[in-house]
Amino acid sequence: MSIKFKLVDESGLPDTTAHVWVAGWINGGSQKHFKVLEGNNFTRPSTTKAPTSVPFQKLSDIGDVVLEDKTNGDDRFLFVVSKDKPQDLTVTNNNPIQYTQYPYANTPGVEAPGPFDVFEFGLDAQLNLSAVSGFGLNLRFDVEGSDGPQYGMRKDVTRSQTAKAFTKFMKNEAKADPAAAHFLPLLYSTPLTKGGFQPPLVDNQFFAICDPNDWLASNSGNYQKTTNDPLATYWDETLDRFFSPGNVLSINLGSKAVPRLYEGSCTTQTQSGSTEQTQVYTLTGPAGTFHFYKPESGLTSSQYVFQQSFGVGLTPAGAAGDAGLLQDSIWEALCRGVALDGVLTTETTESAQAAFSTTKWNDWSKWYKAGKTCHYYSKFLHYSDSDGNDSRLSGKPSLMLNQAAYGFSMDENPVGPYDGPEVPSKTNENIKSGTVTITVGKWV
């Protein structure tokens, strides 16, 4: 059982401008099995001594990389574009200390020398390109075979085209929903504040397209301070309507043939450990009763949707089991602009079919419709064409192959009955053999 990775540089960058570099490792965190990419192999100093740094190599100098080791899920190729060779990544507790997540409110602790992106892999695991933490490079990968799956940015789309498409797309979306314009600053090329840290640019191109969660975190001291960024209140109105007392949800976590139904309504209650009242959905089903609380308006509401992090306050049941799947379903519906479609009032539920929320939320033809509050960064990744128009309307191919992308943390195929296309840019099966080609696409 082994996978051969072919790493390809199609950037077309002149040597006088920059090079594409790559670092790689497998089994991060394991003292016995942590290895780093050197030459074409994953290696370590000895069976008893783990690597103390992770080197970068010029991508064009690397041949085929064969993976034969069992992996643990902390396995990455890190691609970065810069003129000079990047410094080795340092290692702590058998884990590489990776580049500080952008955007940068201050000088980053581990500064990247240029735009970067990652590819996640493993032996007998799903392979994926994730843009959950932003878009740095136009990567793509394909799995061996004439009908093998392909993911990532189209071969004919350059990185510079992506930036132009992003700006045009947000401006086009703002015609139906002016709030879409709030996502325009996510195209990150200049300091967040006057005199602040300037991200390193290559060939005068943008550094990255930021994820809105990271954008707000950087602008608010990791959500500990306030910010006047308009994205901080972006979800307020939608959440007020979604968590309106009397609203009812009916969610199927199973299949049509074998449903796993949870139902309940939104009421006003005093949350445990607090003296203040808030709105909460109480959903009851096969595994018991779970509560899902409305976040406080303002920055907390945007953190709730953009970050999608399970916490004691708003998601007290946690991420495990059906409680986690129910919360995932709510977040996915909000981001895709269909959450309100799956809500009925108490007066209208008598004639409704069971699982009416899931039926609406999992109808992929209704996702990200013009004028509906949604996660526009994710909508861009899934549906923009190279001219910045919605590819579903223009009839032109989307920037991302098969409209598959990771636009937010829980951007997976929805739970419950679903007959649409693959949502994320990852293989739907574990890959344990064959050839996988990973390509860094054209720069200009």
Side-chain angles (χ1 to χ4, degrees):
M1 185 166 62
S2 66
I3 301 173
K4 179 168 70 176
F5 292 104
K6 297 177 68 70
L7 307 182
V8 180
D9 179 5
E10 290 185 354
S11 66
L13 282 162
D15 291 344
T16 54
T17 300
H19 304 281
V20 181
W21 308 87
V22 64
W25 65 90
I26 59 173
N27 297 318
S30 171
Q31 199 282 328
K32 291 184 177 181
H33 303 293
F34 175 50
K35 293 183 178 181
V36 301
L37 181 64
E38 293 195 53
N40 299 339
N41 301 302
F42 290 104
T43 185
R44 55 189 280 132
S46 71
T47 56
T48 59
K49 186 177 181 181
T52 57
S53 63
V54 183
F56 281 90
Q57 304 175 81
K58 194 178 294 183
L59 183 59
S60 57
D61 290 343
I62 298 179
D64 297 341
V65 177
V66 177
L67 174 65
E68 297 177 311
D69 296 69
K70 184 179 179 180
T71 53
N72 68 359
D74 191 346
D75 320 286
R76 306 284 189 275
F77 287 121
L78 170 60
F79 301 90
V80 61
V81 173
S82 65
K83 183 172 178 57
D84 300 318
K85 183 179 179 179
Q87 294 183 351
D88 292 359
L89 297 178
T90 57
V91 172
T92 299
N93 297 323
N94 304 297
N95 264 312
I97 301 177
Q98 299 182 58
Y99 293 138
T100 302
Q101 181 57 43
Y102 53 80
Y104 307 120
N106 304 294
T107 301
V110 183
E111 180 181 341
F116 64 94
D117 223 317
V118 297
F119 178 80
E120 301 174 347
F121 63 92
L123 187 64
D124 195 13
Q126 291 175 296
L127 317 180
N128 81 78
L129 292 173
S130 174
V132 170
S133 296
F135 175 92
L137 300 174
N138 46 328
L139 302 178
R140 70 177 185 276
F141 76 97
D142 61 82
V143 180
E144 181 181 40
S146 57
D147 296 324
Q150 295 181 312
Y151 302 92
M153 190 66 68
R154 281 183 8 231
K155 178 182 177 67
D156 61 314
V157 176
T158 68
R159 189 173 185 270
S160 60
Q161 281 180 304
T162 304
K164 294 175 183 177
F166 180 83
T167 299
K168 290 180 180 177
F169 186 83
M170 294 306 165
K171 290 182 177 179
N172 285 335
E173 292 297 313
K175 295 174 183 177
D177 178 9
H182 300 334
F183 290 75
L184 279 167
L186 299 183
L187 187 65
Y188 178 46
S189 300
T190 57
L192 294 186
T193 58
K194 186 176 181 180
F197 179 79
Q198 170 63 51
L201 308 183
V202 173
D203 199 29
N204 293 317
Q205 280 198 26
F206 69 102
F207 181 74
I209 303 175
C210 299
D211 164 71
N213 171 56
D214 294 318
W215 179 264
L216 283 175
S218 291
N219 279 284
S220 65
N222 198 26
Y223 293 106
Q224 298 304 304
K225 302 176 182 179
T226 60
T227 174
N228 59 4
D229 191 289
L231 287 179
T233 56
Y234 177 73
W235 290 103
D236 283 359
E237 182 181 351
T238 298
L239 290 174
D240 284 345
R241 295 173 62 193
F242 182 75
F243 284 95
S244 179
N247 283 354
V248 179
L249 297 178
S250 179
I251 302 173
N252 180 11
L253 300 182
S255 63
K256 287 184 178 180
V258 186
R260 191 170 179 83
L261 197 64
Y262 283 82
E263 295 183 312
S265 62
C266 183
T267 58
T268 300
Q269 299 181 20
T270 300
Q271 188 173 352
S272 176
S274 172
T275 58
E276 296 184 2
Q277 289 193 322
T278 186
Q279 287 69 53
V280 54
Y281 276 102
T282 302
L283 303 180
T284 300
T289 297
F290 305 109
H291 302 285
F292 302 91
Y293 291 90
K294 178 183 182 294
E296 181 182 348
S297 295
L299 185 60
T300 300
S301 70
S302 283
Q303 181 182 12
Y304 170 79
V305 181
F306 285 136
Q307 190 176 76
Q308 297 165 24
S309 177
F310 289 92
V312 175
L314 300 178
T315 54
D322 285 359
L325 295 176
L326 289 167
Q327 181 63 72
D328 289 347
S329 298
I330 291 171
W331 278 328
E332 289 175 352
L334 287 165
C335 288
R336 292 165 181 160
V338 291
L340 296 174
D341 296 348
V343 171
L344 293 180
T345 61
T346 305
E347 294 78 12
T348 58
T349 55
E350 291 185 5
S351 61
Q353 293 184 337
F356 56 81
S357 301
T358 299
T359 299
K360 293 291 186 181
W361 292 352
N362 291 8
D363 182 356
W364 61 279
S365 69
K366 298 297 192 298
W367 292 352
Y368 302 102
K369 287 296 186 179
K372 301 190 73 171
T373 299
C374 66
H375 195 307
Y376 280 106
Y377 168 79
S378 179
K379 181 176 182 177
F380 166 76
L381 291 173
H382 283 288
Y383 296 122
S384 178
D385 64 21
S386 56
D387 296 320
N389 297 310
D390 189 325
S391 59
R392 298 170 296 179
L393 303 177
S394 70
K396 296 181 179 180
S398 57
L399 292 172
M400 302 294 281
L401 291 163
N402 304 311
Q403 300 176 341
Y406 262 120
F408 54 89
S409 180
M410 300 298 177
D411 201 7
E412 304 278 358
N413 288 351
V415 178
Y418 172 69
D419 60 2
E422 289 293 315
V423 173
S425 49
K426 74 175 179 182
T427 57
N428 56 15
E429 297 178 347
N430 289 359
I431 305 299
K432 62 180 69 175
S433 63
T435 300
V436 176
T437 302
I438 309 169
T439 304
V440 178
K442 297 177 182 178
W443 193 257
V444 293

